[in-house]
Amino acid sequence: MRIPKHASKMFCGTILVGSLAFTSCENQTFNTEINLIPEPSEMSISSGIFKIDSAGLLGSTPSKQVRFQIDPNLSEISVEGYTLKVDREGVELTARTEAGLFYGKQTLLQLLTPDGLPFVQITDSPRFAYRGLHLDVSRHFFPKEEVMKILNAMAYYKLNTLHLHLTDAAGWRIQIDKYPKLTSEASHRTQSDWREWWDKGTDRKYLKEGTPGAYGGYYTKDDIRDILAYAKEKHVNVIPEIEFPGHSEEVFVAYPELCCAGKPYTSSDFCIGNPKSFQFMEDVLTEVMELFPSVYIHVGGDEASKAAWKKCPKCQALMKKEGLKDVNELQSYMIHHADEFLTSKGRKMIGWDEIMEGGLSPQATVMSWRGESAGFRTARMGQDVVMTPGNYMYLDFYQADPRKQPFAIGGYTPIRKVYSYNPLPKDSLSAEEAKHILGVQANTWTEYITTPEHLEYMMFPRALAVAEIGWTPQEKRDWQDFKPRVNAQIPVLRKMGLNPYPLSYELDFSMDVDTLDKKITVYLDAEKYPAEIHYTTDGSIPTQASPVYKDGILVKDSADIRAAIFEQGQMMGEPSEKRIDYHRGIGKSIHFNNRLYPGYMAGGEQALLDGYRGGLTYLDGRWQGYTDNLDCVIDMGMPTPIHSVSIRCMQLTGPWVYQPLEVELLTSEDGKEYVSQGVIPTTISPDDAMLNFQTYAFTGNWQARYIQLKAKNQKGFIFTDEIVIW
Ligand code: ACM
């Protein structure tokens, strides 16, 4: 909820308490914009302001006007919840626990304006107990001060869990006394930029600590203690992750005997047939548990190659001895061991959803990252889950047009998309199963994030959307309501010393295709708030004099929409554009001669003739992907004069989406004899790694009932969104 400034007459009374002056004022003009994130579960606002500053609010001077109290017997307040009342008498904040009181104080800090505190009554408690961010400090190392900066911001928005990805092939990042070579030999590497080192590196090497020019770093035990002490103050639990059995190349540089070949640079996976691997795991986890009070200890489990185990005599012997039927069960054997070990120490094991393969160990908690289905399956099995699906919760994905952003791993999760995620949709699980959805987490992998500034740019403000997903009741969440609040937080984040993404001037297009009235309504949405949008429909650059967007643009045939945000008469950024056609192919039947790829049949078989165009990501439900040549035939129902046919394709080489080598158009009157009307080759190199689009447009004068399009696959996927026929 966002309450605007209000104005009327003044009534103030001043009370002196110690050295602090409190003035309660009703009906006066004050800046009382309320931009709380996360939105509280219940809040009512009344007119008036209690005059106080931050020193008065959080200072040590006891005062009758500011009462903070903890009452463990208040069963109606949840563990992290609180109640808060601000009125002419002052401030009354009540909680059951220290954490609840802390969150109430964060709310007060967010409510505080230069004029004081608005009169509010709040009863608040989180939707989920687990509200997390993950940070990869292996691919690039971030000093403890940066971790603390992130913890500070997390707490302000009531996020309560930081998952630190401490080990991976790119470098081991935590001191372990029993295995000193992990940090002396496996925490530094030849190149600082992971992309240079890993993606392009033909001579990828680790270097000993202290080697001149080596890039790397790690947290000493004292650094970890400092981080944990700070996190405790901020009521954030820090979960350490130590990767087993995959993502561990760096370990074998220091201790080669722990991989199957016994040599460095040969494998990413621990040798599970070697008892020393189990000893290592127990020893490392023991030192980790000595440092981290977290009940949850993360053991990775993702993306093990498993290849070496198939040929390794030790692994094969163990599989035979234990009756393990495949390498999935072998991985599961090691993860079960970790689970038993951690459980015996009073901790809980958590791992990526691959730990389900080969049999989930009985106490394990799963992080569902490859979509949501593993999470729901786990909950149905009666085990706990943290939802962190890649399509919504990966903050290393692009947050705006990839062509205009710093290089990222791929994907496209603007804050609107992040915010749209609901970890527990209504009716997805029974009430009993739903209790196993502990909450939500967003992950920031840092392969392409080299500096603290870039890290903050990727994490914030998207992390604020995660905070609200985790805290606020689903029925109270609304993107249009969140938007002004998150805009208002950008300067707040900057004051915290962070470098947030300032939100995009790009516009989001959505469409409503009406096949009865044969029209398309186009809707525009901005992340920026407020946003004065001007648009054109003839492809020209919009100006301040162009029409102002209100609530939809109606298109009966074709339009080249260009739209932009204007501030003080100036166009901000570049116009966003979208071609719209209510064309003659819409609703006609289509037959595919090629095999369809079920995972990428967005919108079903009719999607290429439904009028809906895709956006910047092939995952937006409008793009269709094919692993073969695309070969489809459209039946216009009767011989029809045709003068143009076009098809648009996307290229994004990271996830193997390529332009077709060429597209051919054929026409037929009877569905038997086809005449080629031409071939258009791609003009884009397969080496062009930047997101790009090509429209293959054929024009002519044909009489045809059947229209055939053949697009030749060169590698990976062909992705296309619409065949436009005029
Ligand atoms: C992951 O993204 N490999 C968990």
Side-chain angles (χ1 to χ4, degrees):
M1 190 191 296
R2 185 167 186 269
I3 305 299
K5 294 172 193 191
H6 58 263
S8 58
K9 281 201 215 106
M10 178 168 167
F11 166 82
C12 291
T14 304
I15 313 160
L16 280 171
V17 182
S19 59
L20 296 173
F22 300 98
T23 307
S24 161
C25 302
E26 289 170 80
N27 305 326
Q28 194 194 359
T29 303
F30 286 119
N31 177 0
T32 51
E33 258 179 24
I34 293 183
N35 287 303
L36 289 175
I37 292 181
E39 172 77 13
S41 14
E42 283 173 45
M43 172 164 70
S44 61
I45 295 139
S46 45
S47 165
I49 200 132
F50 179 67
K51 290 210 84 150
I52 192 167
D53 59 15
S54 62
L57 187 59
L58 299 180
S60 53
T61 315
S63 121
K64 280 198 195 113
Q65 274 63 45
V66 181
R67 287 208 302 167
F68 294 161
Q69 51 204 346
I70 294 179
D71 181 349
N73 300 317
L74 285 175
S75 56
E76 68 275 15
I77 299 180
S78 75
V79 174
E80 293 177 292
Y82 63 92
T83 60
L84 172 65
K85 193 159 86 184
V86 180
D87 59 17
R88 56 188 305 186
E89 308 295 326
V91 177
E92 196 173 317
L93 171 62
T94 308
R96 223 171 98 192
T97 64
E98 288 285 351
L101 198 72
F102 179 81
Y103 291 130
K105 287 183 189 172
Q106 303 316 303
T107 300
L108 280 170
L109 287 174
Q110 288 198 19
L111 286 170
L112 192 64
T113 72
D115 297 320
L117 287 166
F119 291 177
V120 289
Q121 191 141 5
I122 293 178
T123 303
D124 206 3
S125 78
R127 180 179 181 203
F128 293 108
Y130 188 115
R131 305 176 302 278
L133 296 182
H134 148 290
L135 173 60
D136 169 10
V137 293
S138 174
R139 270 48 172 269
H140 286 100
F141 180 67
F142 298 94
K144 68 175 178 184
E145 291 76 15
E146 183 61 19
V147 177
M148 292 181 189
K149 220 166 148 189
I150 290 165
L151 285 166
N152 178 50
M154 287 175 71
Y156 189 70
Y157 299 104
K158 305 186 177 77
L159 288 160
N160 68 356
T161 309
L162 178 66
H163 165 179
L164 272 186
H165 184 77
L166 287 164
T167 72
D168 211 302
W172 184 278
R173 304 282 178 231
I174 176 171
Q175 177 188 345
I176 299 292
D177 295 333
K178 200 155 184 189
Y179 298 89
K181 287 199 281 181
L182 289 170
T183 43
S184 65
E185 296 192 13
S187 67
H188 286 73
R189 62 185 189 229
T190 41
Q191 273 115 332
S192 62
D193 186 331
W194 182 89
R195 186 153 47 138
E196 295 294 319
W197 184 73
W198 183 271
D199 278 357
K200 297 190 195 154
T202 44
D203 188 28
R204 183 197 308 163
K205 285 283 180 293
Y206 301 87
L207 293 175
K208 287 204 165 68
E209 189 184 3
T211 306
Y215 168 83
Y218 60 88
Y219 304 115
T220 63
K221 290 197 165 173
D222 279 342
D223 290 336
I224 296 280
R225 286 186 196 103
D226 289 348
I227 290 172
L228 292 173
Y230 189 72
K232 187 171 179 208
E233 256 176 51
K234 299 283 171 188
H235 290 267
V236 177
N237 180 44
V238 183
I239 298 182
E241 179 185 352
I242 309 290
E243 278 271 17
F244 296 103
H247 278 280
S248 296
E249 284 92 335
E250 85 291 17
V251 175
F252 313 129
V253 171
Y255 299 97
E257 65 276 19
L258 298 177
C259 69
C260 293
K263 288 193 219 128
Y265 304 104
T266 56
S267 174
S268 57
D269 304 343
F270 279 87
C271 175
I272 300 183
N274 183 352
K276 281 188 180 166
S277 295
F278 289 79
Q279 191 60 50
F280 176 89
M281 183 163 78
E282 289 190 8
D283 291 341
V284 170
L285 291 178
T286 298
E287 289 194 34
V288 165
M289 283 188 284
E290 281 163 13
L291 285 168
F292 288 83
S294 172
V295 171
Y296 288 104
I297 305 289
H298 202 299
V299 296
D302 58 323
E303 299 178 313
S305 142
K306 304 176 184 169
W309 304 339
K310 293 180 184 157
K311 291 187 220 124
C312 166
K314 288 194 204 119
C315 289
Q316 289 300 313
L318 180 67
M319 285 171 70
K320 202 160 165 210
K321 176 163 163 258
E322 297 293 337
L324 307 172
K325 73 173 188 312
D326 57 25
V327 286
N328 287 337
E329 291 196 0
L330 185 63
Q331 156 148 334
S332 178
Y333 179 84
M334 186 175 206
I335 298 290
H336 270 69
H337 185 90
D339 189 4
E340 279 161 26
F341 180 70
L342 292 171
T343 303
S344 76
K345 306 289 178 203
R347 306 296 179 105
K348 288 186 180 176
M349 189 193 76
I350 187 164
W352 301 112
D353 59 45
E354 287 94 331
I355 65 170
M356 300 182 79
E357 292 163 8
L360 183 62
S361 59
Q363 294 89 213
T365 298
V366 169
M367 264 187 186
S368 188
W369 73 278
R370 295 176 300 175
E372 297 160 84
S373 64
F376 291 131
R377 262 186 292 133
T378 305
R380 288 191 190 104
M381 287 160 64
Q383 289 183 232
D384 289 346
V385 183
V386 174
M387 290 300 226
T388 179
N391 287 348
Y392 296 92
M393 288 289 125
Y394 270 39
L395 303 186
D396 53 336
F397 284 13
Y398 285 105
Q399 56 193 323
D401 187 337
R403 295 167 293 187
K404 298 170 194 163
Q405 288 295 308
F407 188 80
I409 199 160
Y412 182 68
T413 51
I415 190 165
R416 176 189 298 99
K417 170 100 189 264
V418 175
Y419 190 78
S420 73
Y421 181 57
N422 177 5
L424 184 53
K426 211 161 171 267
D427 302 328
S428 54
L429 294 173
S430 72
E432 202 45 46
E433 290 161 352
K435 288 185 193 152
H436 293 292
I437 307 287
L438 301 182
V440 63
Q441 175 175 292
N443 301 335
T444 310
W445 301 99
T446 59
E447 283 92 336
Y448 304 105
I449 300 175
T450 59
T451 64
E453 292 73 29
H454 189 194
L455 177 67
E456 295 161 10
Y457 177 94
M458 298 304 276
M459 290 180 105
F460 298 97
R462 286 186 288 184
L464 277 59
V466 181
E468 186 146 310
I469 294 168
W471 185 279
T472 304
Q474 181 65 17
E475 63 278 10
K476 293 206 77 178
R477 291 208 299 120
D478 175 67
W479 160 247
Q480 294 302 338
D481 184 77
F482 178 72
K483 206 161 74 169
R485 289 184 285 122
V486 75
N487 274 267
Q489 295 299 326
I490 300 295
V492 179
L493 289 163
R494 289 200 181 115
K495 266 202 194 134
M496 291 182 200
L498 293 160
N499 174 43
Y501 178 58
L503 296 164
S504 179
Y505 283 106
E506 290 159 22
L507 296 167
D508 178 70
F509 289 81
S510 59
M511 300 162 63
D512 185 10
V513 178
D514 178 345
T515 51
L516 280 179
D517 280 356
K518 298 196 183 324
K519 64 176 196 227
I520 297 176
T521 312
V522 180
Y523 300 99
L524 305 179
D525 185 40
E527 287 176 4
K528 286 276 187 190
Y529 181 90
E532 179 191 317
I533 301 170
H534 294 263
Y535 71 95
T536 64
T537 54
D538 60 2
S540 60
I541 305 283
T543 67
Q544 182 76 17
S546 306
V548 174
Y549 174 80
K550 290 201 189 69
D551 47 12
I553 305 166
L554 190 66
V555 180
K556 286 267 188 193
D557 40 34
S558 293
D560 270 317
I561 298 178
R562 287 207 184 182
I565 296 174
F566 284 74
E567 286 178 4
Q568 281 140 18
Q570 292 294 311
M571 183 161 75
M572 307 306 292
E574 292 168 35
S576 301
E577 47 189 84
K578 187 114 181 156
R579 169 84 195 177
I580 305 290
D581 291 281
Y582 196 102
H583 60 91
R584 287 156 70 195
I586 289 179
K588 296 289 187 291
S589 79
I590 182 164
H591 170 78
F592 290 88
N593 294 321
N594 54 296
R595 202 160 45 100
L596 298 179
Y597 192 85
Y600 289 113
M601 285 303 289
E605 293 197 9
Q606 207 53 41
L608 299 189
L609 294 171
D610 65 1
Y612 287 99
R613 288 273 172 80
L616 294 173
T617 167
Y618 65 97
L619 291 170
D620 68 3
R622 302 294 180 210
W623 292 92
Q624 294 221 343
Y626 312 93
T627 46
D628 297 334
N629 298 330
L630 166 65
D631 180 353
C632 62
V633 179
I634 295 142
D635 181 355
M636 299 299 287
M638 62 174 75
T640 308
I642 306 288
H643 57 85
S644 93
V645 177
S646 66
I647 180 168
R648 185 172 72 133
C649 296
M650 170 188 282
Q651 179 162 303
L652 188 66
T653 56
W656 278 74
V657 177
Y658 287 90
Q659 290 294 338
L661 267 181
E662 59 183 36
V663 179
E664 182 178 12
L665 171 72
L666 302 98
T667 58
S668 168
E669 296 217 24
D670 58 7
K672 293 188 190 96
E673 299 284 319
Y674 279 84
V675 181
S676 176
Q677 304 296 358
V679 174
I680 301 177
T682 182
T683 53
I684 294 168
S685 158
D687 299 328
D688 186 343
M690 192 38 73
L691 171 72
N692 59 58
F693 301 89
Q694 183 175 345
T695 299
Y696 302 81
F698 300 86
T699 51
N701 261 316
W702 312 297
Q703 178 79 6
R705 173 169 171 181
Y706 298 94
I707 295 167
Q708 183 173 25
L709 275 171
K710 293 182 177 181
K712 202 175 268 179
N713 188 307
Q714 55 176 327
K715 57 178 164 176
F717 288 92
I718 291 175
F719 264 87
T720 180
D721 61 342
E722 185 79 358
I723 296 170
V724 175
I725 301 170
W726 285 109

